[in-house]
Amino acid sequence: MIKLPSIFRIFHILLLTMSVQSTNSFTTNGNGDLASSKQNQNISNAELNTSTVTTMSSRSTGVNMSLSAGSSSSSSDGVGVGDGETKTKAETEGDQLLIKAQAGKIEELKNREAALSRLLSAVRKEKMSALRSRPLTIGVVGFGRFGQFISETFAKHGRVVATSRSDYTDIASDLGVTYVPLSDPDAFLDNQLDVIVLATSIVSFESTVQNMVEPLKRYIAKQKRGNRRGPLIVDVLSVKEYPRQILLDLLPEECDIMCAHPMFGPDSGKNGWYNLNFVYERTRMDGVVLDQTAADNEESFVEEGTHQIHSVHENSEAHIEAKDRMERFLSIWEEEGCNMVPLSCAAH
């Protein structure tokens, strides 16, 4: 017969089993609750930190906004100018408007000045064109072989009046040239000569110039006061410093001077002047001896010694007419095909 446990024993076992399960369950739940509590605490701490940062950020933003607002308020109320003084916004805007108005006025004046300058330049160019449309009257002193040679070509470009010791009336007539005896220099000059070319020998050069001085002074004196100008005097000797000095020393100041050297003659130039060299120096214009080291400029020239820059338009019409007369005379050689060689007498 099998012995069965007593009911009390079975009940006791059941109680022990339930107790063990309950303890395991409590332990598991307790650990879980503890971890959960710690997580909750961490979350709370994180939330606290976030809240603190947010609060600090808000405060910082508030301070910045406050400073910005203060700055804005300061800008709106006035502009600091030092020593506690301020300008109101209206005063500042008024100053700015005044500056703009002044700048606009200056710009307007500059534009008007530029327009007047362009107009003056156009008038000057028109005047130069009108002057160049008038052919030169060229006098030739010394009507020997070389004088006849250049006069024949000059006659194609303007009126030519020749003078010499001998009577060359017939030869001159054949070349289309007016002839006046050298014994009557006043009659020679009365032809309203623009240019006089001294085509004499080096031996008679100085005496020829000396004999021309007094007639030139009489001719200049007959002109209207304020418009007294002599002709352009040109020498064509092969040496240059010697005739240059004689012309500067003897001629009246009203006479302009050019020293030139056509490097050809009746033989080498018998078939024309094309590709032949013509050397020249603009020596004096309207009483101003030119600095030969200065660069050539159509609108101005530099005075020798003082280095003063003169405009061709300054003070009187003499500068512009002197410049134009020289250029028109040079243009004859240029149009005949010469190689134009500007060169100082000192460097010749």
Side-chain angles (χ1 to χ4, degrees):
M1 180 177 182
I2 300 173
K3 290 184 179 181
L4 296 171
S6 66
I7 188 148
F8 293 103
R9 185 171 177 80
I10 294 171
F11 181 73
H12 180 68
I13 292 171
L14 290 172
L15 286 175
L16 288 174
T17 302
M18 291 174 65
S19 177
V20 172
Q21 291 176 348
S22 177
T23 301
N24 291 338
S25 175
F26 174 80
T27 301
T28 302
N29 290 339
N31 291 338
D33 290 340
L34 182 60
S36 177
S37 175
K38 288 182 178 179
Q39 289 177 356
N40 290 336
Q41 184 178 359
N42 290 337
I43 292 171
S44 297
N45 289 338
E47 290 175 350
L48 178 60
N49 291 336
T50 302
S51 176
T52 301
V53 171
T54 303
T55 302
M56 291 176 68
S57 177
S58 298
R59 288 176 181 173
S60 176
T61 303
V63 171
N64 290 338
M65 290 177 65
S66 176
L67 289 173
S68 178
S71 175
S72 176
S73 175
S74 175
S75 297
S76 299
D77 294 340
V79 178
V81 294
D83 297 331
E85 297 180 2
T86 61
K87 284 188 176 182
T88 65
K89 181 179 180 181
E91 288 175 335
T92 303
E93 290 177 348
D95 289 345
Q96 291 174 347
L97 289 174
L98 179 60
I99 291 171
K100 288 181 179 178
Q102 290 174 340
K105 184 65 175 177
I106 291 172
E107 188 66 26
E108 178 189 349
L109 290 172
K110 284 183 177 180
N111 290 335
R112 287 170 59 189
E113 185 180 35
L116 288 172
S117 178
R118 289 192 295 270
L119 177 61
L120 182 59
S121 178
V123 171
R124 286 170 176 168
K125 287 180 180 179
E126 186 176 350
K127 183 176 181 179
M128 292 287 278
S129 178
L131 285 169
R132 285 172 178 163
S133 68
R134 180 172 61 88
L136 292 172
T137 298
I138 302 173
V140 178
V141 178
F143 203 58
R145 190 164 179 247
F146 186 80
Q148 296 171 24
F149 167 69
I150 58 175
S151 293
E152 184 177 9
T153 299
F154 288 164
K156 298 189 295 182
H157 299 273
R159 181 169 171 257
V160 180
V161 181
T163 187
S164 193
R165 288 193 299 266
S166 302
D167 185 3
Y168 290 104
T169 303
D170 293 338
I171 296 175
S173 178
D174 292 339
L175 298 175
V177 174
T178 301
Y179 184 80
V180 177
L182 189 60
S183 58
D184 192 356
D186 292 309
F188 175 67
L189 293 172
D190 282 343
N191 282 276
Q192 303 296 314
L193 305 174
D194 297 299
V195 182
I196 295 176
V197 178
L198 301 175
T200 66
S201 68
I202 191 171
V203 175
S204 61
F205 184 83
E206 184 173 1
S207 61
T208 301
V209 174
Q210 287 176 335
N211 292 334
M212 292 290 298
V213 171
E214 290 305 317
L216 281 168
K217 289 180 178 179
R218 290 194 295 270
Y219 171 75
I220 293 167
K222 288 190 295 184
Q223 299 179 28
K224 293 181 180 179
R225 187 178 298 275
N227 192 39
R228 291 177 175 174
R229 301 167 198 161
L232 166 65
I233 309 297
V234 181
D235 99 275
V236 289
L237 290 177
S238 58
V239 297
K240 298 303 347 140
E241 289 192 279
Y242 167 72
R244 180 183 192 270
Q245 198 59 52
I246 288 176
L247 296 176
L248 287 172
D249 290 343
L250 299 180
L251 290 177
E253 193 177 58
E254 293 85 354
C255 293
D256 299 333
I257 299 172
M258 177 183 290
C259 295
H261 179 199
M263 298 183 71
F264 53 91
D267 296 325
S268 56
K270 62 183 179 181
N271 295 320
W273 298 356
Y274 180 76
N275 213 30
L276 300 177
N277 292 333
F278 180 80
V279 179
Y280 65 95
E281 174 196 279
R282 299 180 184 91
T283 305
R284 187 171 74 188
M285 286 199 307
D286 194 29
V288 177
V289 179
L290 307 188
D291 183 352
Q292 301 303 318
T293 64
D296 188 29
N297 189 302
E298 185 176 346
E299 293 293 314
S300 64
F301 50 93
V302 181
E303 185 171 354
E304 185 177 77
T306 65
H307 303 295
Q308 180 180 351
I309 299 175
H310 295 268
S311 168
V312 295
H313 309 290
E314 71 182 27
N315 300 330
S316 70
E317 299 300 311
H319 280 3
I320 188 171
E321 289 192 11
K323 177 76 171 179
D324 171 74
R325 183 168 54 187
M326 283 192 177
E327 298 310 309
R328 282 192 289 155
F329 178 71
L330 290 172
S331 71
I332 293 174
W333 304 85
E334 189 172 13
E335 288 174 19
E336 288 297 320
C338 290
N339 295 322
M340 308 300 289
V341 184
L343 186 69
S344 70
C345 292
H348 188 278

